[in-house]
Amino acid sequence: MAPGERIKCLLQIQQASGAKAKYAGPFDCAKQIYREAGLFKGLYRGTCATLLRDVPCSGMYFMVYELLKINLTPEGKSPGDLSVGRVLFAGGMAGIFNWMVAIAPDTLKSRLQTAPEGTYPNGVRDVFRELIRNEKPTALFKGIVPVMLRAFPANAACFLGYELAMKFLNWAAPGL
């Protein structure tokens, strides 16, 4: 995640701004951040905010997937025997629930990681206070529609790929 998440955010806003590019790519971005602010205040800035997003949403992600697999498994069958359609549904819904939990902390994390140095001296708390004061709580959920439209198919495909890979590996190397 870190520092890749910070680099990704900076490159995304750079591209969206339309201004002359400051960074030539991910390696140049990392090098410049390190030179300007160092390892922890630069490259790893926003790591706690990333964990604030990733820990609860990952728990939700895998919990929903496993619970749906169990509930979608026909009587007398194993969750490993689910049809492609059921695996796609479970994976897609896991993605939806993941982003229901992740969208607000992701907004805070991205703003923290892309703000100029010194903008938020108290980290994610300052981002939250400013966002609520200036933009209202709905700003935490900006972009939720495209995120949700992408969440279902992307995560359905991800879990289908995982299940197919596991079936192949269990076939190719049984008992491993």
Side-chain angles (χ1 to χ4, degrees):
M1 283 178 263
E5 190 71 23
R6 170 132 160 87
I7 292 166
K8 176 191 68 115
C9 286
L10 289 171
L11 291 173
Q12 283 175 333
I13 65 160
Q14 170 184 280
Q15 184 179 17
S17 74
K20 183 181 182 301
K22 178 178 180 179
Y23 309 112
F27 292 111
D28 181 54
C29 183
K31 190 168 66 175
Q32 285 191 49
I33 293 169
Y34 181 76
R35 204 175 311 131
E36 292 168 8
L39 186 64
F40 295 108
K41 287 191 173 202
L43 284 170
Y44 283 89
R45 181 169 152 205
T47 298
C48 289
T50 302
L51 291 171
L52 182 68
R53 175 197 69 182
D54 287 353
V55 170
C57 77
S58 292
M60 179 64 75
Y61 188 58
F62 293 108
M63 179 185 70
V64 167
Y65 181 67
E66 291 299 325
L67 286 173
L68 282 174
K69 274 181 41 177
I70 291 165
N71 287 312
L72 292 170
T73 301
E75 189 78 29
K77 295 274 188 173
S78 160
D81 299 328
L82 281 180
S83 69
V84 169
R86 289 177 185 215
V87 169
L88 288 170
F89 178 75
M93 291 308 294
I96 294 286
F97 278 85
N98 170 76
W99 279 103
M100 286 171 62
V101 172
I103 191 79
D106 186 63
T107 299
L108 297 173
K109 174 207 68 74
S110 296
R111 290 192 183 200
L112 175 65
Q113 290 183 319
T114 59
E117 186 67 35
T119 304
Y120 301 114
N122 294 314
V124 76
R125 290 176 302 213
D126 283 350
V127 179
F128 180 75
R129 276 189 220 114
E130 182 181 295
L131 186 136
I132 296 301
R133 181 177 53 245
N134 296 336
E135 300 178 53
K136 309 297 179 240
T138 54
L140 288 167
F141 302 95
K142 280 184 180 173
I144 197 164
V145 172
V147 164
M148 291 300 179
L149 289 173
R150 178 187 143 293
F152 191 94
N155 291 283
C158 179
F159 275 111
L160 179 62
Y162 166 78
E163 294 293 346
L164 292 174
M166 289 304 295
K167 283 184 190 243
F168 173 77
L169 291 172
N170 286 330
W171 171 81
L176 193 63

